[in-house]
Amino acid sequence: MSRDPSATKASLLAAARVEFAAHGAAGARVDRIAERAGVSKERIYGYFGSKDKLFDAVLDEVVEEVMEFVGEPGRDIAAYVRRVHDFHRERPDLVRLLVWEGMQGGGSCPNRRSRVEHYVRKNQAMAEALGLETAEEAAPLLFMFMAICSWSVVVPQVARLVLGEGIDTEDGRDRLRKHIGDFAEGAVTHIREQQSRV
Amino acid sequence: MSRDPSATKASLLAAARVEFAAHGAAGARVDRIAERAGVSKERIYGYFGSKDKLFDAVLDEVVEEVMEFVGEPGRDIAAYVRRVHDFHRERPDLVRLLVWEGMQGGGSCPNRRSRVEHYVRKNQAMAEALGLETAEEAAPLLFMFMAICSWSVVVPQVARLVLGEGIDTEDGRDRLRKHIGDFAEGAVTHIREQQSRV
DNA sequence: ACGCTAGCCAACCAACTGGTTGGTAGTCAA
DNA sequence: TTGACTACCAACCAGTTGGTTGGCTAGCGT
């Protein structure tokens, strides 16, 4: 058909992303990926070797994208958190892929080097904004921000139970967004106070 | 073998809990559950009808347990959050089951009634502790507390990347626990201040 | 003692799984 | 033109899946 290897590869990656985000590495079906890509599934093995390696390739790609799209935290940390929240809400793929990796994966963690680097950079930016001395001190904060920004993507059914059906409306989502911002704001002020007290 | 229906049922439920927590409803294997329970898999269909219904039964049971073991939030909310964190760390089953349900489930949400009730009760307790007027106002807070307490169970690989390898040691975990408590403390103070300002 | 029901299992089944293979057909250098 | 190389696919394969079936037997009421 297309006789354009790089286009075929890209098409497979795109299809795989949809499938993996929806079902995880274990739940994904190779046939569905191939069909969505409009390509014989044999191409998956020709280009990527196996289903799992394809998953890793997708993850690489998405992590790369997020580095590009979500900037680094600036002075106004609550604003940054809201930005991250917006990104995850609009494109839940990354969060879902990470969660699948964490829940199904055997702790292999591909592309480790660059991912660590990515988070270190964010931690540094955050430490600077908070007046903390080392990046490590900011890490738990970053981690918890990720948690509150992602949670409603990960357990939407719990969100509906706890926050009410309103969470499915634009209005309800905005309200949660505001709470998330406030929550972050509170935590940051708390830290700043502890900081100045020393 | 055992010829004791309720014992067989219980044995199946226990085995299913392990299997479902590890692999989710879709990833779980009926044969493995039966083998672990030391029972023919046909009994699963005899007692529960299908794999999915067995999953629901397990979820019911676990939710029930959590209601029992984790109390309600008292005056010291940070302490409550730490308690929840400890529970999830020691027994990650509940979190994992909820996440599988959220990621794989089709939004059916079995046992809805009692689960809503459970969260409403917690929201009320929390609203009271914070001096908020309605339970709904406390809901987002409860939701975010769940998030920060569960996150390292859900994406352990990210925890390792962000917080460093130390997270796998008892010491590192305690440090995170402390940060989670502080984080909650900060958010609560923030809310209390907003409250008193009005 | 005896039959009947309920708990149980080994064996089975059709559907589906990730992965492979043999062969076709574009494409490009010589 | 030819020959070789590469992208590609339909058909295939062995192993696994959730779910079913026919029959065995422990234990109870009679």
Side-chain angles (χ1 to χ4, degrees), chain A residues 96 98 100-103 112 116 139-141 143 145-147 150-151 157 159 161-162 165 179 182-183 186-187 190, chain B residues 96 98 100-103 112 116 139-141 143 145 147 150-151 157-159 161-162 165 179 182-183 186-187 190:
Chain A
R96 289 185 62 92
L98 285 178
W100 290 124
E101 190 195 28
M103 298 277 290
R112 190 194 175 66
V116 170
L141 213 58
F143 189 66
F145 286 154
M146 289 180 53
S150 311
W151 200 231
Q157 87 282 28
L161 293 171
V162 176
E165 303 288 332
H179 278 289
D182 290 351
F183 197 77
H190 192 68
Chain B
R96 289 184 63 92
L98 285 178
W100 290 124
E101 191 195 25
M103 298 278 291
R112 188 195 177 66
V116 170
L141 213 57
F143 189 65
F145 286 154
S150 311
W151 199 231
Q157 87 281 29
V158 176
L161 293 171
V162 176
E165 302 289 331
H179 278 289
D182 290 352
F183 197 78
H190 192 69

Side-chain angles (χ1 to χ4, degrees), chain A:
Chain A
M1 228 230 285
S2 70
R3 196 87 0 189
D4 175 350
S6 71
T8 307
K9 231 191 258 196
S11 165
L12 272 172
L13 275 170
R17 182 190 298 207
V18 175
E19 178 74 9
F20 282 133
H23 305 103
R29 296 300 162 221
V30 183
D31 293 297
R32 277 200 296 250
I33 295 175
E35 191 189 347
R36 185 187 294 268
V39 161
S40 162
K41 71 173 165 170
E42 177 268 355
R43 285 292 81 207
I44 290 173
Y45 300 93
Y47 285 131
F48 300 96
S50 73
K51 189 170 83 154
D52 287 318
K53 284 188 190 151
L54 177 58
F55 182 82
D56 290 347
V58 169
L59 207 67
D60 275 13
E61 205 191 36
V62 177
V63 167
E64 205 70 32
E65 263 174 47
V66 107
M67 295 194 203
E68 206 172 314
F69 277 35
V70 184
E72 282 176 7
R75 203 124 326 191
D76 186 350
I77 297 216
Y80 168 74
V81 172
R82 277 190 291 265
R83 216 158 64 228
V84 173
H85 169 264
D86 291 343
F87 178 81
H88 288 329
R89 173 158 296 292
E90 200 177 332
R91 305 184 36 190
D93 283 8
L94 173 73
V95 171
R96 289 185 62 92
L97 287 169
L98 285 178
V99 171
W100 290 124
E101 190 195 28
M103 298 277 290
Q104 300 179 330
S108 65
C109 203
N111 220 12
R112 190 194 175 66
R113 200 71 55 94
S114 79
R115 284 166 81 177
V116 170
E117 200 183 321
H118 169 230
Y119 290 122
V120 165
R121 221 179 307 142
K122 286 199 173 170
N123 281 334
Q124 282 171 339
M126 196 164 260
E128 192 172 353
L130 287 169
L132 298 171
E133 294 193 4
T134 66
E136 284 88 53
E137 289 177 81
L141 213 58
L142 178 65
F143 189 66
M144 288 187 269
F145 286 154
M146 289 180 53
I148 60 177
C149 290
S150 311
W151 200 231
S152 62
V153 169
V154 178
V155 284
Q157 87 282 28
V158 176
R160 226 164 286 137
L161 293 171
V162 176
L163 306 168
E165 303 288 332
I167 195 62
D168 290 322
T169 68
E170 197 64 28
D171 201 52
R173 280 191 285 265
D174 284 347
R175 221 163 21 229
L176 178 60
R177 187 187 121 104
K178 187 186 170 315
H179 278 289
I180 287 175
D182 290 351
F183 197 77
E185 193 66 59
V188 166
T189 345
H190 192 68
I191 284 203
R192 286 221 173 94
E193 277 168 10
Q194 284 190 324
Q195 199 64 11
S196 62
R197 201 173 300 142
V198 175

